[in-house]
Amino acid sequence: IPRPATALTSSRPGTDCMAMTAAALAAAAVAIQDESLQVADNYLQEAIAVYKLAQQWRGLYAKYIESGKVYPSVSYFDDLAYAATWIYIATGDATYLSDAETFYDQSLSESHVSDNPYQFNYENVVPALDLLLAGLTGDSKYKANVQAFVSQWLTHSTADSAPVFYTKKGLAKAHPDGTLQHTANAAFYVMVAAKRSIVGKNYMLHACWARNQIGYMLGDAGKSYVTGYGAQPPLKTPHKAASCPPPGTMSDIAAT
């Protein structure tokens, strides 16, 4: 399957893609600064450079890059806010925190691929912004959003029309897609919120919930949903963005 190289430019922009790249570089700089200041600084300078271009070259990645149509994005202010937040964490420069809050406010008028606000995924990082900005600013509006997110995931509803609903064996799923990425992200989110005491002081309650959700995915309910791991794992997992099957065999793989 051909995989041609491509690039983002002023005439073929991708604000969402570039902003998330800047966020990843800045977060990586924070993560490794104790091991190598030089490498961390290289990452940070690249993050700042890409962030500036993301602001200048406005546009959605999926409109210009063919591969972006596989998992498209329809918003970018949340991504710009995410990049600014991580660069602020890395630098301490209040300009970036101001940018983050401005872009956050602008993001509230954007739509997303899913209209479920309790999905934290590649296309909607507003919940992550709430979690980060609650700690950085202490603003009650961010804390309230974090508490609402956690409360929704821990509320045991079996109605599949609810924003989050539970299966018979206890897996929490986000309406309407319900893929494990949302549940895994929510488990991580709940743990961080509990560790930072944003959702009260009952840490073990939240930790046990997160552990149970990840345990379900890994086979605690009798079947693992992770390829190659745990009890009765899936053997062939179709993935439209990453798989490169021989021509004519995709239907065979999907059938398994």
Side-chain angles (χ1 to χ4, degrees), residues 20 38 60 64 94 177 232:
M20 290 302 285
Q38 182 178 358
L60 292 168
Y64 301 96
D177 325 69
Q232 303 182 59

Side-chain angles (χ1 to χ4, degrees), residues 229-250:
Y229 185 93
Q232 303 182 59
L235 301 177
K236 297 179 180 178
T237 309
H239 188 282
K240 59 186 177 181
S243 63
C244 297
T249 61
M250 191 60 191

Side-chain angles (χ1 to χ4, degrees), residues 58-194:
R58 295 293 178 94
L60 292 168
Y61 168 76
K63 289 185 178 180
Y64 301 96
I65 305 299
E66 187 64 28
S67 60
K69 295 178 173 62
V70 177
Y71 291 107
S73 174
V74 296
S75 61
Y76 61 66
F77 283 117
D78 60 328
D79 303 312
L80 285 168
Y82 200 53
T85 299
W86 274 109
I87 294 174
Y88 169 70
I89 293 171
T91 64
D93 185 339
T95 301
Y96 294 108
L97 181 58
S98 177
D99 281 358
E101 295 201 87
T102 297
F103 288 135
Y104 177 95
D105 290 341
Q106 291 175 300
S107 77
L108 299 180
S109 64
E110 292 183 306
S111 60
H112 293 280
V113 169
S114 171
D115 60 4
N116 185 346
Y118 302 106
Q119 287 188 11
F120 162 36
N121 56 34
Y122 80 97
E123 203 280 324
N124 182 6
V125 294
V126 172
L129 286 167
D130 285 322
L131 190 55
L132 290 171
L133 292 173
L136 294 172
T137 69
D139 193 315
S140 60
K141 71 177 181 181
Y142 302 123
K143 290 183 177 180
N145 290 340
V146 173
Q147 291 164 356
F149 186 96
V150 172
S151 176
Q152 188 66 61
W153 276 92
L154 269 65
T155 298
H156 200 288
S157 172
T158 57
D160 60 10
S161 60
V164 176
F165 62 98
Y166 280 69
T167 67
K168 292 180 180 179
K169 290 190 176 182
L171 176 69
K173 301 179 70 175
H175 177 83
D177 325 69
T179 58
L180 294 183
Q181 64 160 312
H182 304 129
T183 307
N185 287 348
F188 172 77
Y189 191 101
V190 168
M191 287 287 289
V192 175

Side-chain angles (χ1 to χ4, degrees), residues 185-208:
N185 287 348
F188 172 77
Y189 191 101
V190 168
M191 287 287 289
V192 175
K195 188 175 182 179
R196 296 181 179 178
S197 299
I198 298 175
V199 289
K201 297 182 179 180
N202 195 340
Y203 175 79
M204 289 307 300
L205 169 69
H206 298 90
C208 286

